Structures are given as structure tokens and as C-alpha cells.
Amino acid sequence: MKILVTGGTGFTGKALVKRLLDDGHQVVAMDYKEGLKTEELRQWGAEVIIGSVTEPDVLRRAMQGAEVVHHLAAAFRELHVPNSYYYHVNVEGTRKALEEALRQGVRKFIYCSTCGVHGNVDNPPAGEDAPINAADYYQQTKYLAEPIVKEYQGKGLKTCILRPAAIYGPGDPERFFMIYKRVASGTFPMFGSGKTLYHPLYIDSLVDAFLLAQEEGKGEGEAYLIADEKFVSIEELVRKVAQSMGVRVNIPHYPVWPLIIAGHVFEKVCKPLRVAPPIFPRRVDWYRQNRAFKIQKAKRDLGYNPQVDLDEGLRRTAAWYRAEGYLK
Ligand SMILES: NC(=O)c1ccc[n+]([C@@H]2O[C@H](COP(=O)([O-])OP(=O)(O)OC[C@H]3O[C@@H](n4cnc5c(N)ncnc54)[C@H](OP(=O)(O)O)[C@@H]3O)[C@@H](O)[C@H]2O)c1
């Protein structure tokens, strides 16, 4: 099949492109910046199209002959942009991609949303019908695109929405690496009780879910939470990261409220100065927001069955960080 992956050079996009190529598909990866990763993707055999998902001409070229579209491109944590930029990329970009997919007769459109649309989970674990309670602008715009996806399902385009939990694994130089880096220092300051729930998702399991969702007759017009089999507390996660690295870690506890205030103050002060804040509200949410989900619906309808447990996933991730020189 010819398959388009938007955001194809991102952490998840790259892993999906690789698997699709390994499975023998013809893959077009679309992203809006040329760079080392785009070269790597070309070497693997993907066609790379540079441009934004907000540009109809680029979408037209990228979707030509595509049977399936995996829409992963998203504004995530952008510096120096107004909030409207998130709306422009995550909502309007998704609408434009759907419109082009409908026009070109794409067989199936998979929209990558986020578990973050549920915000703090009051009654963990949450299912897909749990309240929508997006906590920040990124999450809100990811959710605002969901009803648009359903609108196009109504117009005759087959769609499926995935809401991934916290993605980690080899290939991620940013998100989980911050946890590994702090653990490697020997001390991980824990703000709050450490009992906040966290639901990881190993990258290969998410790629499995995309492959299942693209199948004919599966999950059409539906949304699915995708996560590992088990969730953990954030303190347990930190201990397991240390275990995966074969090191000991001290976890001193501090109250969380000064960090909440600092997050807001730093964001307010740094934004006009156009510098990256050292702490910002979303990072503080990591210590506060319960994230634990049910994956029964994806298991039942898609046949989703995560194969890599947290200990094994963290071991593989630690090995990748070492091999790539991120960790000693
Ligand atoms: N990471 C998580 O834990 C998590 C959890 C739930 C859901 N998700 C969702 O999963 C998807 C992939 O996330 P990820 O963590 O792999 O993020 P990522 O590495 O940031 O990938 C997103 C990609 O989209 C590209 N992009 C941004 N704006 C674009 C535009 N206007 N046109 C074309 N491409 C654009 C980015 O390019 P640049 O890098 O050049 O900006 C990046 O390559 C996203 O839809 C995200 O919302 C992520």
C-alpha cells in the first residue's frame, strides 16, 4: 500500500515509517523541516515531502495515490508562538488533511490524538467515555480536532482516532530522557507525594496500534485509548528507570505548590523575553495529574495487545540512550 505519515520525522512518526517500510509498504513521510532525520528516512526508502499540514498544495502532493493516512503532525511545545498557532496546526491542519483525504478517496484516515484530552483523571483508570478535561492549549486543540474527524467520517471518509498515553522508547531524545538524566545524577527530587498515576506506552506497542487501526473494517468512527498493559505511580516509574540503568537513586520529597507558582511565573516572565522557561505549568502537571487508562476497547475492537512490559521497555530505552551517547 501507499501510506502517508504526517509528522513522519518525529519520534513516533519515524518509528511508524520504519515499520511500514519493513512491512513492504510504499511510504511518504511529510514534515515541515529538512534535516538529518529526513535524510535518514530517504535512506530507508521513504519518499519525504517537506511542507506544513496547513498547506493544501503540500497535502495534495503528499496524498497522491495514498490508501491510508496516519496524521501525527502536531504543534506540541513550540517556543515563541501565540496560542493561535496550536489551533492553526492541530485543528485547521487536521481539517485540511481530512478534506484532502476525502477529495482524493483515501481509504482510511487515522488521527493521532492524545490521552491528555482527559486531563487529570478523577476516577482512574479512565475509559474513552471519561470526561474531556484538557488542561492546556495543546491538549485542547488536539481534542478540538476529534469532532472534525467524526464530521468527515459522516461525509464518507473512514476514520479512526487513537489517544496514546505517554510514549517512550528508543528514539526519543527528549521526554523520557529528562527522567533518565535526573536518575543518572543519583537524586530525583519528587514534588508532592509521588503517588500520582502515570500510564506509559512503549513505542512499538503504539506502532502496533496504528497498524491495526489502518485495517479495513476496524474501529471506524471510533476513538481508542492506547497504553501499556499497566500504569504505575510516578515514584515507582523513577525507581524502575533506576533499575533499568542498574543505578541507585535517592528520591527526596518536597511540597509541590512552590513549583506550581514557579511554573506560572517563569512562563509569564520568559515568554516576552523569548527564552525557554526552566519550569512551566505542563512540566509541573507531571507531578500532579493522574493519568491511568483502560485499554479494553482497543483490545476488543482492534485486537490491540501490548507485548513489551515496562521493565523490558525501560531496559531497551536505557540501552538506546547509552548506545547513542546520551548516557554514560
Ligand atoms: N509524546 C507523547 O507522549 C504523546 C502522547 C500522546 C499523543 N501524542 C501525539 O503523538 C503524535 C506524535 O508525537 P511525538 O511525541 O512523536 O511528537 P514529535 O516528535 O514532536 O512529532 C511531531 C512531528 O510533527 C511535525 N510537525 C509539527 N508541525 C508541523 C506542521 N505544521 N506540518 C508538518 N509537520 C509538523 C514536527 O516537526 P518538527 O520536529 O520539525 O517541529 C514533528 O516531526 C503527535 O500527534 C502528538 O500530539 C504524543
Side-chain angles (χ1 to χ4, degrees):
M1 276 193 281
K2 187 168 179 183
I3 298 176
L4 169 65
V5 180
T6 73
T9 70
F11 165 44
T12 310
K14 244 182 101 177
L16 177 57
V17 167
K18 183 80 173 71
R19 177 86 73 85
L20 290 168
L21 287 167
D22 289 349
D23 286 355
H25 296 293
Q26 188 187 344
V27 183
V28 181
M30 181 187 161
D31 222 300
Y32 77 147
K33 275 184 228 138
E34 195 64 73
L36 282 178
K37 289 193 209 159
T38 44
E39 230 6 84
E40 194 178 1
L41 260 58
R42 286 191 183 102
Q43 276 165 17
W44 289 349
E47 181 187 346
V48 179
I49 293 194
I50 302 295
S52 172
V53 287
T54 57
E55 296 170 82
D57 293 356
V58 180
L59 287 166
R60 194 160 307 141
R61 267 195 296 132
M63 265 183 225
Q64 246 156 36
E67 213 175 298
V68 169
V69 173
H70 291 283
H71 181 49
L72 278 64
F76 183 46
R77 205 186 120 61
E78 310 287 334
L79 285 175
H80 319 316
V81 297
N83 282 350
S84 58
Y85 181 77
Y86 289 84
Y87 189 89
H88 183 58
V89 175
N90 297 350
V91 184
E92 287 305 323
T94 301
R95 182 188 284 285
K96 284 177 183 158
L98 286 158
E99 183 59 35
E100 191 55 34
L102 180 67
R103 208 183 65 78
Q104 294 209 22
V106 164
R107 180 178 61 75
K108 200 154 182 194
F109 187 102
I110 292 96
Y111 168 58
C112 184
S113 180
T114 170
C115 71
V117 301
H118 296 289
N120 179 60
V121 174
D122 289 331
N123 295 304
E128 289 78 0
D129 54 357
I132 297 297
N133 191 16
D136 60 44
Y137 206 68
Y138 156 75
Q139 293 169 350
Q140 283 161 15
T141 53
K142 289 297 285 185
Y143 179 69
L144 285 173
E146 288 198 11
I148 304 176
V149 176
K150 296 215 165 140
E151 179 190 321
Y152 276 81
Q153 170 80 27
K155 289 180 180 178
L157 174 66
K158 288 178 180 155
T159 64
C160 183
I161 298 171
L162 302 185
R163 292 179 187 158
I167 312 163
Y168 80 101
D172 167 25
E174 288 165 31
R175 300 159 190 86
F176 257 63
F177 181 57
M178 288 189 279
I179 306 176
Y180 278 83
K181 203 165 69 173
R182 222 170 292 164
V183 169
S185 77
T187 302
F188 192 105
M190 182 63 71
F191 295 92
S193 69
K195 290 185 179 145
T196 299
L197 297 176
Y198 191 77
H199 210 147
L201 168 57
Y202 188 66
I203 183 74
D204 291 6
S205 303
L206 175 56
V207 171
D208 290 346
F210 278 113
L211 264 56
L212 290 163
Q214 77 182 26
E215 286 178 19
E216 186 80 51
K218 277 195 176 168
E220 282 155 17
E222 294 290 330
Y224 295 94
L225 283 159
I226 305 294
D228 278 0
E229 196 71 59
K230 291 185 181 153
F231 50 86
V232 288
S233 70
I234 55 174
E235 180 147 344
E236 204 180 340
L237 177 71
V238 170
R239 292 200 187 284
K240 280 181 179 287
V241 166
Q243 209 181 333
S244 77
M245 296 164 70
V247 300
R248 293 170 71 90
V249 65
N250 293 320
I251 310 183
H253 284 254
Y254 302 99
V256 74
W257 61 266
L259 200 67
I260 299 172
I261 297 170
H264 285 285
V265 171
F266 273 116
E267 190 166 72
K268 281 244 154 26
V269 171
C270 293
K271 206 166 183 178
L273 299 174
R274 299 175 75 82
V275 290
I279 315 165
F280 45 91
R282 263 188 65 197
R283 190 158 289 167
V284 181
D285 283 348
W286 190 83
Y287 296 97
R288 309 166 65 211
Q289 268 191 14
N290 269 324
R291 300 218 171 146
F293 302 97
K294 296 179 196 162
I295 55 172
Q296 276 78 0
K297 186 179 172 190
K299 284 185 162 185
R300 186 194 65 205
D301 293 4
L302 304 178
Y304 174 65
N305 185 16
Q307 295 292 310
V308 179
D309 70 14
L310 185 57
D311 291 329
E312 176 60 18
L314 292 176
R315 252 195 312 275
R316 291 185 195 178
T317 309
W320 186 81
Y321 286 139
R322 287 208 173 100
E324 296 294 315
Y326 288 97
L327 289 177
K328 285 188 196 123

